[in-house]
Amino acid sequence: MFSLLLNVLVHSPSASAWNEATCTFPSPCWPSDNTWKSLNDTLRGSLYRAHPPAAPCHVPYTNEEACGIAKQNWTSQFWRAQQPGGYQDIAWENGDSYCNIDNDPNTPCAQGLVPQYVAKVQNVDDVKAAVNFARQHKLNTRIKGASHDYLGRSSGNGTFGISTIDLKGIQFEDNFTLNHGSGRSAAQSVVHVGAGEHWYYVYKAADAHNVSVVGGSSYTVGAAGGWVLGGGHSALSPQYGLGVDNVIQFEIVTPDGKLRTANHYENKDLFWALRGGGPGFGVVTKVTYKTYPAITAITSLLLNVTYTNASYHGALKTFLSMQPDLAAHNFSGYTYPSNTNLLGGILVANSADVGGANATLKPLFDFAEAETKAGRPMLVQTIVSVLPSVFGMFSADPATVDEGSGSAAILGSRLVPLDIFKGARLEAFTTFLVKQPFSITLLHVAGGKVNTVSRSATAVNPSWRRASHHIILATGWGTNTTFALRNVLRKGLTQATQTFAELVPGFGAYANEADINEPKWSETFWGSNYPRLVSIKRDIDPLGIFMCYHCVGYRD
């Protein structure tokens, strides 16, 4: 088992004829230096021999000035997104190697999982040139945007990378229509977003344009890349749907090197696959999203509950039991429980009811009072405010925000139904969570509008349409953690995730935030939609140049 897990992280596995159809370094099929030089000339100098960002702090790449820049920016999400070899989660940057700013500088920096060469494309013609090069040389190719990748799909040892981070552009259109052959669709308000844009800047622009758009809850998640291709959950999803439910159109360079438009009328199968099927169908250059009238009030409730370990089970069970009521009152948000405290950021869009928000938490206040009277101190603290817009959730200077970049994390997860927060299932679920050595995140990003969409309307796992929450188990390691201990953590997380799965039979996981070592990965990530996805993948990428581990079409 350990050798399998290690193989996942240090190599781009290929076990079937389709998987093996592509070329990786250092195979004899790998293009010559002169051939790469020719591509660099075509790209006007935008092809990089990529290395992990800490390479200048290690032999044989030592460069004091560049090392200083890396150390200064190590946790900067924007800086990492711009680095040809940079990823937010360094588990998928270094794999199992020691190339970090605090490792021994005399330890040689290995390539890790960073692609050998990365084309930082500047426009659609560059994308076409890079894709044509990859196809002509049958290169195993990875696509990297803002680099928020927790499953290693945008990196890979010995691969060729295409970075879309410089494909900028945010354009609003109030009367956008689609051509459907016999006429035009009804006009609607949209925003066209370039593949390199971060959600922070889209929200900022939408605020200025007096509209709202459904997007990620991080400053730096890419607004037109992996987030939406995997489904795209949002704090606004219970009221407006998933990201894929709000896509009007994609522009994508497919593996044949052609720029195509995909929507409900044109390239319909591809449009379906791009809405939740993950990477592997081409290089998306632009996404068009539906916009909504500006949200002018969001009740924001910051929650901090502290308790002793003796109260952990009861406090967590009480909070979990409140989820159906919170869902009925249109709450969404994120909660982080541990054995000493529970932190939460809870939102109600289109609401300014401060008193009502606090009143909804009455069961938690009552439980805290009873515990304290029983000699087990417990305190519930809330800060309730009304935000003037979606952009109000991103009021901090993005240059100062720390979202945990530059560290290693691995995830396991499941989507869960509202019924798990009731009766006997609630007790079993609470007991499971309390026993976990892993960090826990409860994301109330489903239910509501998400559940009104047909299970086959998009490519996401159909259990999204029955779920109320997405719940993550996570762990990680330090830069000096031994490889053996990392493997213990990987195995333990997979085992815990499978135990979790037994509590919610028939429910899958969000494909962007899950365990890469899921034993039944295709079923877990895509459920009954997987066969159709494979068929579309074979048609669109017959050579498998955009194949990645446990992506659509991969064979164990």
Side-chain angles (χ1 to χ4, degrees):
M1 181 68 174
F2 283 176
S3 60
L4 172 62
L5 292 170
L6 185 61
N7 187 43
V8 169
L9 285 172
V10 299
H11 188 61
S12 300
S14 51
S16 72
W18 196 11
N19 296 349
E20 292 173 350
T22 54
C23 177
T24 57
F25 179 85
S27 302
C29 57
W30 191 253
S32 67
D33 289 347
N34 283 337
T35 304
W36 286 109
K37 182 180 182 303
S38 177
L39 176 61
N40 188 44
D41 291 342
T42 300
L43 298 176
R44 305 169 309 285
S46 293
L47 180 70
Y48 294 83
R49 173 65 180 90
H51 299 283
C57 301
H58 290 258
V59 295
Y61 309 109
T62 306
N63 180 308
E64 186 174 345
E65 180 181 359
C67 178
I69 293 172
K71 289 180 176 180
Q72 182 180 356
N73 293 282
W74 190 251
T75 61
S76 167
Q77 302 92 325
F78 294 105
W79 179 80
R80 285 190 156 273
Q82 282 291 339
Q83 304 312 299
Y87 295 82
Q88 310 298 343
D89 182 353
I90 64 173
W92 303 108
E93 181 175 281
N94 289 323
D96 278 339
S97 66
Y98 295 116
C99 186
N100 298 287
I101 54 173
D102 57 351
N103 291 135
D104 182 354
N106 293 314
T107 299
C109 181
Q111 186 69 22
L113 297 176
V114 173
Q116 290 290 115
Y117 284 93
V118 172
K120 285 194 72 182
V121 292
Q122 305 298 306
N123 52 50
V124 170
D125 285 341
D126 285 355
V127 178
K128 291 179 179 178
V131 171
N132 284 331
F133 184 90
R135 185 186 68 259
Q136 290 160 8
H137 297 280
K138 297 183 179 179
L139 301 178
N140 187 257
T141 303
R142 304 299 167 87
I143 306 159
K144 174 174 119 68
S147 309
H148 281 262
D149 181 358
Y150 293 102
L151 286 89
R153 293 166 172 168
S154 58
S155 62
N157 181 266
T159 61
F160 170 48
I162 299 175
S163 170
T164 60
I165 195 63
D166 291 333
L167 298 181
K168 305 297 188 183
I170 303 170
Q171 179 185 359
F172 294 90
E173 196 168 340
D174 296 331
N175 294 286
F176 179 74
T177 61
L178 295 171
N179 186 348
H180 54 72
S182 59
R184 307 291 296 184
S185 65
Q188 54 192 321
S189 172
V190 304
V191 58
H192 308 287
V193 182
E197 291 290 352
H198 300 277
W199 272 116
Y200 171 81
Y201 293 107
V202 178
Y203 288 137
K204 184 177 181 180
D207 194 60
H209 196 71
N210 202 35
V211 296
S212 297
V213 59
V214 176
S217 297
S218 162
Y219 280 72
T220 56
V221 163
W227 177 83
V228 67
L229 294 175
H233 66 65
S234 169
L236 299 177
S237 288
Q239 292 202 18
Y240 296 98
L242 296 171
V244 292
D245 302 329
N246 288 278
V247 175
I248 302 300
Q249 180 171 279
F250 291 94
E251 292 183 18
I252 178 173
V253 175
T254 47
D256 59 4
K258 296 180 180 179
L259 177 66
R260 300 181 188 276
T261 297
N263 56 45
H264 280 297
Y265 308 107
E266 191 174 355
N267 294 305
K268 292 184 288 187
D269 282 346
L270 179 58
F271 182 56
W272 178 85
L274 292 173
R275 289 177 294 150
F281 298 92
V283 182
V284 171
T285 60
K286 185 184 296 184
V287 179
T288 299
Y289 292 102
K290 179 190 305 183
T291 62
Y292 296 91
I295 296 173
T296 57
I298 299 176
T299 299
S300 169
L301 191 154
L302 300 180
L303 177 66
N304 182 23
V305 186
T306 55
Y307 39 76
T308 64
N309 189 60
S311 299
Y312 181 27
H313 187 284
L316 182 57
K317 184 177 180 180
T318 300
F319 182 74
L320 294 178
S321 72
M322 294 161 49
Q323 299 309 302
D325 193 43
L326 293 176
H329 286 83
N330 293 319
F331 280 74
S332 63
Y334 312 90
T335 313
Y336 312 89
S338 74
N339 65 344
T340 58
N341 73 318
L342 183 150
L343 297 173
I346 304 174
L347 305 167
V348 189
N350 297 303
S351 169
D353 185 5
V354 172
N358 251 333
T360 310
L361 299 181
K362 185 177 185 302
L364 200 57
F365 283 107
D366 290 346
F367 181 80
E369 182 179 1
E371 287 294 284
T372 301
K373 286 181 179 179
R376 296 181 292 272
M378 179 172 168
L379 179 65
V380 179
Q381 297 173 295
T382 62
I383 300 175
V384 186
S385 60
V386 177
L387 305 176
S389 68
V390 175
F391 188 55
M393 295 188 289
F394 300 88
S395 58
D397 180 350
T400 66
V401 174
D402 183 357
E403 294 185 324
S405 291
S407 58
I410 54 173
L411 312 179
S413 71
R414 274 300 180 277
L415 298 165
V416 305
L418 211 55
D419 284 350
I420 202 170
F421 303 113
K422 303 174 183 178
R425 296 188 75 184
L426 170 62
E427 175 61 28
F429 186 42
T430 304
T431 299
F432 166 76
L433 292 178
V434 166
K435 290 181 178 179
Q436 289 310 306
F438 306 111
S439 62
I440 301 164
T441 306
L442 284 73
L443 300 91
H444 188 174
V445 292
K449 185 71 172 181
V450 176
N451 293 167
T452 68
V453 178
S454 165
R455 297 179 188 182
S456 61
T458 65
V460 298
N461 190 305
S463 55
W464 266 111
R465 308 308 179 181
R466 298 181 291 133
S468 66
H469 290 63
H470 158 48
I471 298 179
I472 297 173
L473 306 179
T475 189
W477 49 77
T479 54
N480 289 297
T481 302
T482 65
F483 300 160
L485 181 53
R486 296 180 191 188
N487 282 333
V488 170
L489 293 170
R490 291 168 184 144
K491 181 179 181 182
L493 182 66
T494 296
Q495 290 175 336
T497 303
Q498 295 313 298
T499 301
F500 186 4
E502 293 172 4
L503 297 174
V504 283
F507 280 78
Y510 175 41
N512 279 348
E513 294 168 348
D515 181 10
I516 190 63
N517 295 309
E518 280 283 352
K520 296 181 179 179
W521 57 272
S522 60
E523 177 184 338
T524 300
F525 297 158
W526 293 290
S528 58
N529 284 330
Y530 188 71
R532 183 181 176 191
L533 281 168
V534 172
S535 176
I536 296 169
K537 168 71 172 176
R538 286 187 176 277
D539 287 343
I540 206 75
D541 186 17
L543 294 178
I545 62 171
F546 290 117
M547 187 68 69
C548 52
Y549 187 70
H550 286 181
C551 295
V552 170
Y554 183 83
R555 297 181 190 172
D556 287 312

